[in-house]
Amino acid sequence: MSDSKARLSIGDTILELDKLEATVGQPAIDIRRLRADAGHVTFDPGFANTANARSEITYINGAAGELRHRGYQIEDLAINCSFLEVAYLLLYGKLPNRTELEAWELDISTHTLLNEEMRSFFDAFPRRAHPMAVLSSATNAISTFYDVYRRPTRKQEIDSGARTLIAKMPTVAAWAFKKSIGEPYVYPDNNLDYVENFLHMMFTRPVEDVPIDPAVVKALNVLLILHADHGQNCSTATVRAVGSSRANMFTSVAAGMGALWGPLHGGANQSVIEMLQVIHDDPDATIDSTIARAKDKDDDFRLMGFGHRVYSNYDPRARVLKSYAEDVLDRMETSDPLLEIARELEAAALADDYFASRKLYPNVDFYSGIIFRALGFPERMFTVLFAIGRIPGWIANWMEMNSDPDTRIMRPRQLYVGETARDFVPLDQR
Ligand code: ACO
């Protein structure tokens, strides 16, 4: 048998399956004919062993703790680029030159305004509405103002849909926040850059002009880059699943936001701070008792911000964030007792055999919340910030899926373990 084939024997049937080579990383075994040729399906809950697509966007080496977008190391991008530069890279496969970047920044900055009718949309939500729910609903709602985005087919329509989503997300997020604290919405200012504009809409109040701190702009820029894409994770797979029915980009991304919100995914950044706060406030909740709870199989509590489906090593984004958290607090001349607790908790977990044997390390969410707090964001906005960062990754995947001739509507099989045929029992005999 050649090296390009894998052999699978099921009873008397021997199947030779093609191996599909990756440019780097694990090859795949092509099982697309398995059901038809051998009458079996594969069983892989959570798709941990299943490649859902061919992708050229992001490469992760979980064992080595490596993350690259379009071939570039995340560390290089985080230090040297603006968020919009990385967004361009994800969407179009190359770093923009100066002319391209300026045109892209101008295009984004001149599409930040929401249709004025959207004000009533925000007004309709209760004040206590979680901003993630508002963000996801608004993402869908924006498309209702543009008929062309309902079924974009031409490249130009898809590109302008991408630009619209990236441009308007900070406005939506800031308005969701303003609504939740009962302050008037602040309109975007096209003279500001992407991150400055977001901070302006978040923190400006009618009674005071809050100056924008360049240290905050820099830190938020890095944070958005670190969240920009991460392969076929839960929310991106959701975007692809919804988009595979040819649903439009806005609806697909809105669904991805729902997936991101869960505490086992992007919602973990809020849960980490809540966990650290409990350790800080509650004398009964110590580092040791928190670790003990996380290890207790009768308790569904998990150490938030620890563990990852793909990394069996330190998440490279967490490594950048850990040193950054310290730096940001220093530059802002502030301190946070939760940072010290986080460091102690991390050290205790890494020294514990339970975490070491399962290769559980801090993930991106472990330190990001501490920085978001230092920058002045309330906890309810943490996952929203993650979502703004992830928009380019979701869109890039939606675009890639749309142009891939191998894309099929998402339709997994199941291993049926329910009742076999039963005789119907009329209502009065049950
Ligand atoms: N705390 C305690 N135990 C854990 C943790 C944790 N954070 N994570 C995994 N484990 C344990 C599991 O209980 C399991 O133990 P067992 O082998 O004795 O049954 C083992 O480690 C493997 O866990 P799985 O659930 O199979 O790991 P999986 O890869 O499916 O889960 C996940 C990954 C969901 C991220 C998990 O590690 C977790 O729940 N972490 C906490 C939430 C979190 O931080 N999420 C953010 C992830 S990053 C992101 O989405 C942006």
Side-chain angles (χ1 to χ4, degrees), residues 256-272:
M257 288 173 174
L260 184 77
W261 192 8
L264 295 190
H265 190 13
N269 57 15
Q270 181 174 341
S271 309
V272 169

Side-chain angles (χ1 to χ4, degrees), residues 3-75:
D3 274 357
S4 61
K5 299 276 182 196
R7 181 173 291 178
L8 177 67
S9 78
I10 307 172
D12 294 338
T13 311
I14 293 181
L15 288 177
E16 288 211 342
L17 303 165
D18 286 335
K19 276 207 239 165
L20 306 176
E21 288 306 325
T23 48
V24 54
Q26 289 156 340
I29 296 169
D30 185 347
I31 57 155
R32 280 176 287 183
R33 299 269 331 144
L34 180 65
R35 198 169 51 85
D37 292 352
H40 278 67
V41 294
T42 53
F43 183 65
D44 187 20
F47 303 137
N49 302 284
T50 299
N52 178 32
R54 282 191 178 85
S55 184
E56 298 178 0
I57 304 169
T58 288
Y59 168 72
I60 304 170
N61 182 336
E66 231 186 320
L67 168 62
R68 288 187 222 147
H69 297 317
R70 304 283 192 184
Y72 297 103
Q73 294 275 17
I74 187 65
E75 292 87 347

